Amino acid sequence: MHQPFQRRALAACIAAVSTAGLVAACGGGDDPKGAFDGALAFDKARYTTITVTLDGVSTPVRWYREVCYVGKPMALAPTQSAGAVDNLSCGYQNMNIFVREVDAARQDNAILLNVNNAGWLASYQGGLGGWNGSTPITNSNYRGADIVDGGSYASNSDTDKRGAALARGFVYVNMASRSRGATAPAGTYSDGIYQGKAPTAIVDAKAAVRYLRLNDGAMPGSANRIVVNGTSGGGAQSTQLGATGDSADYLPYLQAAGAAGIDANGKSTLSDSVYAIVAYCPIQDMGSADLAYEWMFNVLDTRALVSADQKAGLIVDAAGNELVRASNPDPAGSATLQAGFVAYQAGLGLKNDDGTALTADNMLAALQAEFQKAASAYVKSGKSIVAYNAVGSAAANGVAGGSGTLSYLNDFIDVDAGGTVKFFDLSNYLRFVAKQARLKAVPAFDQIGQTPALAATPTADTTKAGATIFGNYSGGESNLFGTAAQAYANFTEYGWNHNNGGDATNAAQRDVGLANTGITWANSPQRAFLLNQYRMVNALPYVGKTDGITTHWRIRVGARDRDTSFTVAYNISRALKADAKVKDVDFALHWDQGHAGNYDVQAAFGWIDQRLAAGN
């Protein structure tokens, strides 16, 4: 039986760190090498040469396949969310590394580290269903190889980061990581099968960086020039990695995984800081995300307005077919969560540019300014916006966003040919956002065990014809939290206290929730553990307090992305701008963009080029 760590011993060590310091609490030593550094040496001869077409030219590329970046990788059950997986020994903690043959001997080129954690789900890399290693790669026989033999890539495309990276001579890395959904074979670990609980996704990202730093002299590329790219859950993962560089909080977890640069006593000998972050739509601040979501989409009555439009038959596609977008399953719950955001926002202590406090009272004005800047930049870039009072279309997008393409009247913005915004109605705009993609259920994130969220729960919403509309259940992220023995744990006060005790969709978790335990969130013995898990996947507590924080940041969120509140990324940008160690923060909304990433590759890589050229 594997014994990666005993949770009680780890918890005791973490608690001791806060009072005695890491070395005193977990032990110290004089050995400058990590306990697993020898086993983690990079094999520069272990690669396959593949041939791709880059900008029309046949180009040989080295593929270092499934390089395991930890000394004690998680063992995988044969079936994961990706299907029947082939790499059972290191499928969640490996890197696929690509570099043009002409750049393979260079050690000054940047490394583009792609974290592929979609929806905070574990990201497996390797063959599926017995891939033989030679059959052309498809999504059904392999995961985690963005660059494939015979593939064609373009450096001048706005949606091809692979071509942009290869043409610049970058080392292109796909990184797998544990997270929610990762399961081990029963009986392998003493603490349970669910080995992807928070903060494993961040721990693994740090371990990958440490591997690159350990092997910097042997590998192509410079570990001092690591640029991290991630979208959605990956955007959150990259944001957390950047915010927590060299934080001692993660060292016990890194030691448990056998990461590079951690000696036998838990002392760090390597850095896990990175040069730059390029994050798209980060699903961050999970413990307060439900508060922010309900504030964002209720402060101007958005949920109620969309429900009214649904009943009136005003949500249709171009052919007049009704689209289901109403999502107002629990107005009382929404009101409770919305009210909680006000105190939460005030407690962050963030500032506007003029030095005044950023609060719920002025947040809408701040966001409206960002929406208007996004629209102006969009027009100035040569693109067009649907004319005011004209009809446009917008396709559904995001998690549980619905299907079909909305036909809508632009009653929210008027922009002239020069990019000047002449009129903007935020209430109408948010109503449009919530109609082009259906809002999540209530609560949106700590969702398991919440009856109003279930897809089988009828709501007061109806279609024009009077048909009942049901809850917009997506599962949320509750299974990111809890112990390895728990399928999930509610990680917020609202989610814990409103857990229904089990239903047809989710079996009862006997030690989770008020209904199952008889214990409120305030008195739960699990509360401190869960809050620590939340903190370790939340960037805000670390910004301004971490010496190894990334100094270069680029954050983009689609201006019609309803997967999380617009306040989330905006708050992160404000915190970063207040951190004296951060050199530059390029935050913006991207007009007419839903939940996605890498849609502005030319601008993003232009920004990366500038940061690398600055050399700081």
Side-chain angles (χ1 to χ4, degrees):
M1 177 178 287
H2 294 259
Q3 298 287 346
F5 57 84
Q6 295 294 330
R7 285 189 181 272
R8 290 181 180 175
L10 177 61
C13 176
I14 294 170
V17 167
S18 65
T19 57
L22 181 72
V23 174
C26 304
D30 298 323
D31 187 353
K33 296 181 179 179
F36 284 88
D37 287 3
L40 293 173
F42 177 70
D43 184 353
K44 62 177 65 179
R46 186 178 169 269
Y47 67 87
T48 300
T49 300
I50 62 176
T51 302
V52 305
T53 300
L54 179 62
D55 293 332
V57 177
S58 180
T59 304
V61 171
R62 290 187 183 185
W63 175 18
Y64 296 90
R65 177 182 156 196
E66 297 166 45
V67 177
C68 195
Y69 57 75
V70 293
K72 294 193 287 185
M74 170 192 161
L76 281 68
T79 302
Q80 302 288 321
S81 60
V85 296
D86 299 344
N87 189 341
L88 300 179
S89 62
C90 196
Y92 280 133
Q93 290 159 295
N94 72 69
M95 292 184 285
N96 278 319
I97 302 169
F98 304 90
V99 62
R100 289 190 307 187
E101 185 65 46
V102 70
D103 300 308
R106 292 177 57 191
Q107 290 190 311
D108 63 337
N109 37 341
I111 299 171
L112 186 69
L113 179 61
N114 298 277
V115 294
N116 298 316
N117 180 328
W120 278 105
L121 290 164
S123 54
Y124 167 80
Q125 289 190 166
L128 298 172
W131 181 62
N132 61 16
S134 59
T135 301
I137 287 176
T138 67
N139 195 50
S140 62
N141 65 23
Y142 196 90
R143 293 287 170 85
D146 282 359
I147 297 169
V148 298
D149 192 37
S152 183
Y153 310 103
S155 65
N156 60 356
S157 167
D158 239 352
T159 56
D160 188 356
K161 63 178 178 176
R162 302 158 298 180
L166 288 176
R168 285 168 166 79
F170 289 4
V171 179
Y172 189 100
V173 180
N174 283 125
M175 192 202 90
S177 64
R178 296 169 295 166
S179 194
R180 68 189 184 101
T183 55
T188 304
Y189 298 102
S190 60
D191 57 352
I193 67 170
Y194 303 107
Q195 292 289 316
K197 300 294 187 178
T200 56
I202 315 307
V203 172
D204 286 352
K206 287 175 171 290
V209 171
R210 286 170 170 271
Y211 181 95
L212 294 172
R213 288 192 176 276
L214 173 69
N215 293 288
D216 196 22
M219 295 182 66
S222 170
N224 290 320
R225 293 156 71 85
I226 298 173
V227 179
V228 185
N229 176 286
T231 297
S232 189
Q237 190 179 17
S238 59
T239 299
Q240 192 70 14
L241 173 63
T244 61
D246 300 333
S247 170
D249 287 358
Y250 299 85
L251 295 184
Y253 300 88
L254 288 162
Q255 182 182 25
I262 305 291
D263 70 17
N265 296 304
K267 184 178 179 180
S268 177
T269 65
L270 286 172
S271 171
D272 49 48
S273 64
V274 297
Y275 188 81
I277 299 295
V278 178
Y280 292 91
C281 51
I283 304 297
Q284 259 279 339
D285 200 6
M286 296 297 299
S288 302
D290 285 323
L291 307 181
Y293 201 83
E294 294 315 306
W295 181 85
M296 188 79 256
F297 295 112
N298 286 284
V299 67
L300 295 179
D301 297 321
T302 304
R303 284 194 187 268
L305 289 170
V306 173
S307 292
D309 284 349
Q310 187 82 65
K311 290 178 180 178
L314 300 178
I315 305 177
V316 297
D317 63 16
N321 301 306
E322 188 169 3
L323 305 175
V324 174
R325 294 292 189 268
S327 182
N328 193 25
D330 185 9
S334 291
T336 298
L337 290 164
Q338 176 189 351
F341 176 77
V342 177
Y344 172 73
Q345 182 66 40
L348 292 176
L350 300 175
K351 303 291 184 182
N352 295 299
D353 284 337
D354 62 5
T356 59
L358 176 60
T359 68
D361 291 335
N362 55 35
M363 177 63 82
L364 285 179
L367 292 176
Q368 177 161 324
E370 293 295 333
F371 286 122
Q372 292 183 197
K373 284 192 291 185
S376 179
Y378 192 80
V379 172
K380 289 178 179 179
S381 72
K383 299 175 182 177
S384 60
I385 288 177
V386 174
Y388 183 58
N389 278 332
V391 174
S393 61
N397 62 93
V399 175
S403 60
T405 298
L406 176 74
S407 178
Y408 69 91
L409 176 71
N410 174 13
D411 60 355
F412 47 83
I413 192 167
D414 188 11
V415 186
D416 68 20
T420 299
V421 177
K422 300 165 64 178
F423 169 79
F424 188 81
D425 186 310
L426 184 57
S427 177
N428 286 351
Y429 182 72
L430 290 177
R431 182 162 55 171
F432 156 71
V433 169
K435 291 195 293 188
Q436 53 93 40
R438 191 182 181 195
L439 293 180
K440 293 181 177 180
V442 180
F445 298 92
D446 192 4
Q447 203 173 84
I448 298 182
Q450 315 298 308
T451 301
L454 294 176
T457 301
T459 72
D461 290 322
T462 65
T463 65
K464 183 179 181 181
T468 298
I469 293 176
F470 293 83
N472 193 26
Y473 183 74
S474 63
E477 282 74 22
S478 305
N479 62 340
L480 180 63
F481 299 91
T483 69
Q486 295 174 312
Y488 79 93
N490 296 120
F491 56 96
T492 65
E493 179 178 21
Y494 184 92
W496 183 279
N497 290 344
H498 289 79
N499 188 301
N500 59 24
D503 52 56
T505 302
N506 299 289
Q509 183 72 54
R510 61 181 178 79
D511 51 358
V512 172
L514 174 59
N516 290 317
T517 66
I519 303 172
T520 64
W521 171 256
N523 296 316
S524 170
Q526 296 185 61
R527 182 173 177 269
F529 175 79
L530 292 165
L531 287 176
N532 186 61
Q533 282 187 305
Y534 155 47
R535 181 180 65 86
M536 295 186 74
V537 294
N538 179 17
L540 287 174
Y542 291 92
V543 177
K545 303 178 182 67
T546 308
D547 289 339
I549 192 169
T550 297
T551 57
H552 305 294
W553 293 77
R554 186 179 193 270
I555 302 173
R556 288 294 182 273
V557 177
R560 55 183 179 91
D561 181 350
R562 68 8 130 214
D563 274 44
T564 193
S565 171
F566 293 108
T567 63
V568 172
Y570 186 70
N571 277 339
I572 293 171
S573 76
R574 298 311 306 175
L576 290 169
K577 287 181 179 180
D579 189 331
K581 295 182 290 297
V582 176
K583 297 180 183 297
D584 55 274
V585 181
D586 183 351
F587 168 82
L589 302 177
H590 192 98
W591 191 258
D592 197 28
Q593 180 61 55
H595 188 71
N598 300 297
Y599 40 73
D600 60 346
V601 167
Q602 296 307 303
F605 275 78
W607 179 87
I608 293 171
D609 292 341
Q610 292 174 358
R611 302 286 79 74
L612 292 172
N616 56 7

